[in-house]
Amino acid sequence: GAGVSQTPSNKVTEKGKYVELRCDPISGHTALYWYRQSLGQGPEFLIYFQGTGAADDSGLPNDRFFAVRPEGSVSTLKIQRTERGDSAVYLCASTSTSGNTIYFGEGSWLTVV
Amino acid sequence: KQEVTQIPAALSVPEGENLVLNCSFTDSAIYNLQWFRQDPGKGLTSLLLIQSSQREQTSGRLNASLDKSSGRSTLYIAASQPGDSATYLCAYIQGAQKLVFGQGTRLTINP
């Protein structure tokens, strides 16, 4: 696609439920990132994929958070037993192997009530 | 913990003014530094990328400088326009491409 696509754009879920957020990176980009942005803050790194493997998952806050990228393209961020503190915008980004410019999607706005 | 600080947190200026946004960071061994723009409810758009060996980059009315020795970067916006209103974030690359962001400066240009 022309840009990084994220779905859903908005998600409201009840505390304790499971959610999945999807990211479709720019075609051909091998590096994919997930960031989380709380209101009034800058984005915080969650996880980085190079191809199918998670090269750095040091930003995942706890074991309720998990991300996959099984075919090296689309990625899914999975959050189990959601808590109100998980409410934030989840941003996905991708880069090519040779370039340094990073392209962000518009984010998935998650609200846990 | 590596940190990025952006000052001011918010800035409101009349149209046409030149302005400077500031970014300071604690890690002098950064790989590169980027400035991003974020419009309300939107993702981030990369504005300028300064490699660690460079001191500045220019794009149109924007100029970004990098001084690694002092841990500072500035974004200069010339002849500001209402369309420049947005949040501006700086970030540096840590390790294998992990961006560390500041909290951003919310800029409002008044017509």
Side-chain angles (χ1 to χ4, degrees):
Chain A
V4 178
S5 176
Q6 292 189 245
T7 55
S9 54
N10 285 284
K11 175 72 175 179
V12 180
T13 190
E14 292 181 347
K15 178 176 178 293
K17 298 290 188 182
Y18 168 82
V19 298
E20 288 190 352
L21 306 175
R22 174 191 167 107
C23 173
D24 199 341
I26 291 173
S27 178
H29 280 190
T30 59
L32 183 145
Y33 310 80
W34 284 98
Y35 287 82
R36 179 169 70 174
Q37 186 175 25
S38 300
L39 194 63
Q41 303 294 315
E44 292 182 321
F45 170 82
L46 294 176
I47 187 169
Y48 156 57
F49 287 91
Q50 183 61 252
T52 60
D56 185 348
D57 64 358
S58 61
L60 295 177
N62 52 59
D63 61 5
R64 296 187 297 106
F65 288 75
F66 189 70
V68 295
R69 195 186 185 198
E71 298 179 356
S73 178
V74 171
S75 176
T76 304
L77 178 64
K78 308 180 180 189
I79 309 173
Q80 298 178 324
R81 305 182 303 281
T82 52
E83 300 177 357
R84 292 192 179 87
D86 299 335
S87 297
V89 179
Y90 290 81
L91 295 164
C92 179
S94 69
T95 66
S96 64
T97 52
S98 58
N100 285 315
T101 299
I102 186 168
Y103 298 88
F104 280 83
E106 295 199 345
S108 290
W109 292 68
L110 176 66
T111 303
V112 182
V113 297
Chain B
K1 178 182 175 183
Q2 308 302 339
E3 293 186 344
V4 181
T5 303
Q6 291 190 245
I7 296 173
L11 180 64
S12 180
V13 301
E15 180 179 4
E17 283 200 4
N18 303 324
L19 57 99
V20 174
L21 307 181
N22 297 291
C23 171
S24 61
F25 45 90
T26 56
D27 185 357
S28 62
I30 64 171
Y31 179 64
N32 65 34
L33 187 134
Q34 290 186 268
W35 282 91
F36 294 85
R37 168 182 174 139
Q38 186 173 32
D39 292 284
K42 301 293 185 181
L44 282 69
T45 300
S46 180
L47 297 173
L48 289 165
L49 167 65
I50 311 175
Q51 302 281 3
S52 62
S53 59
Q54 300 172 323
R55 292 191 62 86
E56 66 177 338
Q57 283 287 332
T58 298
S59 176
R61 294 181 294 106
L62 305 180
N63 175 275
S65 67
L66 174 63
D67 184 344
K68 291 179 60 180
S69 62
S70 65
R72 293 181 182 178
S73 177
T74 60
L75 179 66
Y76 175 82
I77 303 177
S80 58
Q81 303 172 356
D84 295 331
S85 298
T87 296
Y88 290 81
L89 297 126
C90 68
Y92 70 84
I93 291 285
Q94 182 182 65
Q97 300 202 24
K98 176 167 60 178
L99 285 167
V100 179
F101 284 89
Q103 293 184 320
T105 294
R106 190 172 66 255
L107 177 64
T108 303
I109 307 299
N110 302 302

